[in-house]
């Protein structure tokens, strides 16, 4: 088989890149390790920056998001028993759209199928080859046969644990990492959200987040220790804990119900540099991870795709390689600023075991300053809605 761009991974990065390229007349094949249902079964991000929402429109996959997504003009911070609303729209003129990553993935998969895009699911042992030269190729196993796909470029959209970054270890790859001493225990429940906007809570018992997927489906998180087991958290225990971390009037207003999904995710900050190795490009979680506190993970995948798509489109349309040559540097500049914001928001909102009384007071002073400073709120808001591409 042959294609112009072989894409490893059918998550948001791979699907969005594949659709933009297909619409620009560039042939792609997506190789996905899992089944379509498994990919759609993963519950992940929930907040889209305007840049991501606009790219879904550009890819012809934004109609349902515009219809069912919830535009949000702001969110609440709670700390020291206080509420403070960050008015994103008043401070930046922008807003975010609350729309689950599962739905983003579904819309992109539907669009790919409707436009005849090829995705090979359950492709095992996917490996990129010869990307240092002009004739890269990818191999994979399926139904007991090893297949080869020759291509011009390989897009490694295979997430944090995929083969693309592994394939460039020892080839000048440099990594930067911070692993946080806690995780997030999250649930999804078919109950109305406690508020029409998100609530980020700093509490002595730990961080909590009240989010949603729709006006009838809620998404909640509590900070938990890394050695916690999800099976030790009954629904009742979860609801009791999150209500203990909310201001009293908010806790009273929480509608509880049976969880339909419950899981614990570790938190890390991670960046791999550079994001290009010859004709192999690292995209999205394959290149970087942020703690979800700043809602940047999915949105960083979108800006990577923007830069790589623009470069590949120019390569095929104008035989210009300036865009692909600039990809890594351009992507990393935005990645590092989002890493900083996500790290700052995580440090400001979570309980750190080794913070001590001084560290606690620093958090309280940070939040007290933030609540009284338009300049500080504007800085938070412009990062949260997404810095320019
Ligand atoms: P993905 O990981 O989504 O997709 C990679 C794809 O590659 C997957 O389909 C995988 O099956 C496939 N793949 C992997 N190995 C392969 C192989 N060997 N061969 C072929 N295919 C392979 N972000 C937020 O903004 N907010 C959140 O609340 C949030 N919560 C998260 C919770 C969890 C548990 C995780 C893991 C991530 C969370 N994220 C969150 C970040 C997440 O949304 C990512 O940023 C987003 O999925 C990035 O998309 P991709 O780069 O496409 O990577
Ligand atoms: C979510 O709804 O899953 C969500 C929202 C905002 C975040 C993290 C997760 O910062």
């Amino acid at each position: 088989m042959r294609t112009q761009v072989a894409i490893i991974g059918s998550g948001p990065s791979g699907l969005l890149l594949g659709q933009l390229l297909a619409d620009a007349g560039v042939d792609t094949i997506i190789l996905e390790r899992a089944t379509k249902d498994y990919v759609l079964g993963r519950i992940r991000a929930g907040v889209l920056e305007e840049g991501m929402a606009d790219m879904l429109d550009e890819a012809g996959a934004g109609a349902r998001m515009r219809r069912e997504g919830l535009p949000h003009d702001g969110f609440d911070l709670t700390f020291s028993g206080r509420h403070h609303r960050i008015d994103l729209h008043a401070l930046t003129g922008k807003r975010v759209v609350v729309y689950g990553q599962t739905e983003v993935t579904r819309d992109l998969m539907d669009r790919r199928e409707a436009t005849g895009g090829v995705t090979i699911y359950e492709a095992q042992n996917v490996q990129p080859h010869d990307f240092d030269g002009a004739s890269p190729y990818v191999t994979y196993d399926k139904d007991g046969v090893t297949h080869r796909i020759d291509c011009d470029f390989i897009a490694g959209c295979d997430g944090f644990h995929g083969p693309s970054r592994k394939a460039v270890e020892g080839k000048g790859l440099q990594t930067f990492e911070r692993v946080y001493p806690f995780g997030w225990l999250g649930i999804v429940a078919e109950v109305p959200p406690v508020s029409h906007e998100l609530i980020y809570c700093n509490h002595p018992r730990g961080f909590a987040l009240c989010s949603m997927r729709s006006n009838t489906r809620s998404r909640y998180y509590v900070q938990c220790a890394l050695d916690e087991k999800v099976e030790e958290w009954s629904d009742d225990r979860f609801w009791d804990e999150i209500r203990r971390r909310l201001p009293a009037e908010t806790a009273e207003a929480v509608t509880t119900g049976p969880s339909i999904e419950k899981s614990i995710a570790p938190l890390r900050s991670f960046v791999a540099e550079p994001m290009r190795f010859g004709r192999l490009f690292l995209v999205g979680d394959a290149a970087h991870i942020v703690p979800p506190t700043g809602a940047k993970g999915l949105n960083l995948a979108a800006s990577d795709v923007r830069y790589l798509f623009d470069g590949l489109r120019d390569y095929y349309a104008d035989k210009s390689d300036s865009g692909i040559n600039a990809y890594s540097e351009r992507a990393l500049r935005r990645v590092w600023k989002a890493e900083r914001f996500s790290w700052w928001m995580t440090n400001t909102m979570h309980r750190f075991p080794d913070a001590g009384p001084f560290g606690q007071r620093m958090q309280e002073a940070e939040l007290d300053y933030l609540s009284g400073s338009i300049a500080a709120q504007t800085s938070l808001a412009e990062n949260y809605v997404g810095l320019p591409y």
Side-chain angles (χ1 to χ4, degrees):
M1 270 185 282
R2 185 179 219 296
T3 189
Q4 290 173 296
V5 181
I7 298 173
I8 306 176
S10 178
S13 298
L15 288 162
L16 185 56
L17 177 65
Q19 195 57 48
L20 293 172
L21 287 170
D23 293 346
V26 179
D27 188 58
T28 67
I29 291 177
I30 294 182
L31 291 170
E32 168 57 51
R33 174 186 58 184
T35 64
K36 176 177 175 181
D37 287 345
Y38 182 86
V39 175
L40 288 171
R42 290 188 303 234
I43 305 288
R44 288 189 175 170
V47 173
L48 309 185
E49 295 172 357
E50 284 185 0
M52 169 79 186
D54 292 346
M55 285 177 72
L56 280 177
D57 289 334
E58 183 180 343
R64 191 162 71 100
M65 176 268 298
R66 294 297 181 190
R67 207 170 47 244
E68 298 176 11
L70 304 172
H72 278 206
D73 285 355
F75 63 82
D76 259 9
L77 291 174
T78 69
F79 57 95
S80 311
R82 296 159 58 182
H83 260 264
H84 184 86
R85 181 169 184 268
I86 300 296
D87 191 338
L88 299 171
H89 195 251
L91 291 163
T92 69
K94 293 184 177 180
R95 51 175 57 93
V96 294
V97 179
V98 171
Y99 188 70
Q101 176 173 324
T102 305
E103 305 319 313
V104 170
T105 306
R106 191 190 315 278
D107 296 340
L108 285 167
M109 283 178 172
D110 290 349
R111 174 78 174 140
R112 185 166 179 84
E113 285 166 17
T115 53
V118 174
T119 299
I120 298 172
Y121 291 101
E122 298 180 272
Q124 299 309 312
N125 191 26
V126 176
Q127 288 298 331
H129 303 275
D130 289 0
F131 42 83
D132 296 329
S135 306
Y137 65 96
V138 180
T139 55
Y140 69 95
D141 298 337
K142 188 165 170 89
D143 305 327
V145 176
T146 296
H147 302 266
R148 170 175 168 145
I149 300 177
D150 291 286
C151 52
D152 300 331
F153 299 102
I154 303 169
C157 302
D158 44 328
F160 185 65
H161 300 289
S164 296
R165 195 176 70 250
K166 289 190 182 69
V168 295
E169 284 170 357
K171 293 178 181 287
L173 183 75
Q174 190 178 4
T175 61
F176 306 80
E177 185 167 42
R178 164 69 50 88
V179 177
Y180 296 90
F182 41 74
W184 280 16
L185 166 62
I187 72 161
V188 176
E190 282 299 339
V191 293
V194 67
S195 166
H196 69 291
E197 292 181 331
L198 273 58
I199 306 176
Y200 290 82
C201 316
N202 173 300
H203 189 275
R205 294 179 66 85
F207 170 79
L209 171 60
C210 305
S211 185
M212 63 198 74
R213 289 293 176 271
S214 70
N215 291 323
T216 59
R217 176 172 288 198
S218 295
R219 178 78 161 135
Y220 287 99
Y221 298 93
V222 294
Q223 172 187 345
C224 66
L226 280 175
D227 58 0
E228 291 277 5
K229 305 273 182 296
V230 68
E231 51 272 13
E232 292 169 1
W233 281 84
S234 67
D235 288 354
D236 287 346
R237 182 183 175 195
F238 182 89
W239 292 120
D240 288 345
E241 186 58 41
I242 193 150
R243 284 182 293 197
R244 295 176 76 168
R245 299 185 188 186
L246 294 169
E249 72 282 4
T250 308
E252 277 298 304
V254 171
T255 305
T256 65
S259 61
I260 56 176
E261 197 275 344
K262 195 186 297 177
S263 56
I264 293 178
L267 271 64
R268 79 176 74 236
S269 298
F270 175 87
V271 179
E273 290 185 357
M275 290 172 58
R276 178 204 184 174
F277 293 81
R279 290 182 171 243
L280 170 65
F281 300 93
L282 302 181
V283 187
D285 275 20
H288 42 74
I289 297 287
V290 285
T293 325
K296 291 293 142 233
L298 175 57
N299 295 297
L300 272 183
S303 46
D304 289 355
V305 167
R306 175 82 273 161
Y307 303 137
L308 183 55
F309 165 67
D310 289 349
L312 290 170
R313 181 201 52 214
D314 296 350
Y315 174 84
Y316 284 106
D318 312 323
K319 291 281 175 279
S320 160
D321 56 10
S322 61
I324 55 177
N325 291 341
Y327 167 69
S328 180
E329 191 270 335
R330 278 186 80 191
L332 283 166
R333 287 195 65 205
R334 191 171 193 269
V335 163
W336 276 112
K337 284 181 271 194
E339 289 281 350
R340 180 210 67 81
F341 172 66
S342 304
W343 165 84
W344 171 82
M345 198 136 165
T346 301
N347 278 283
T348 302
M349 297 304 290
H350 290 74
R351 273 291 167 288
F352 283 73
D354 59 354
F358 180 79
Q360 185 51 38
R361 285 287 187 275
M362 284 297 97
Q363 271 192 358
E364 290 165 7
E366 180 88 40
L367 288 161
D368 188 29
Y369 164 63
L370 185 68
S371 64
S373 164
I374 293 300
Q377 291 168 43
T378 304
S379 172
L380 192 174
E382 68 177 5
N383 280 279
Y384 192 88
V385 298
L387 295 177
Y389 280 19

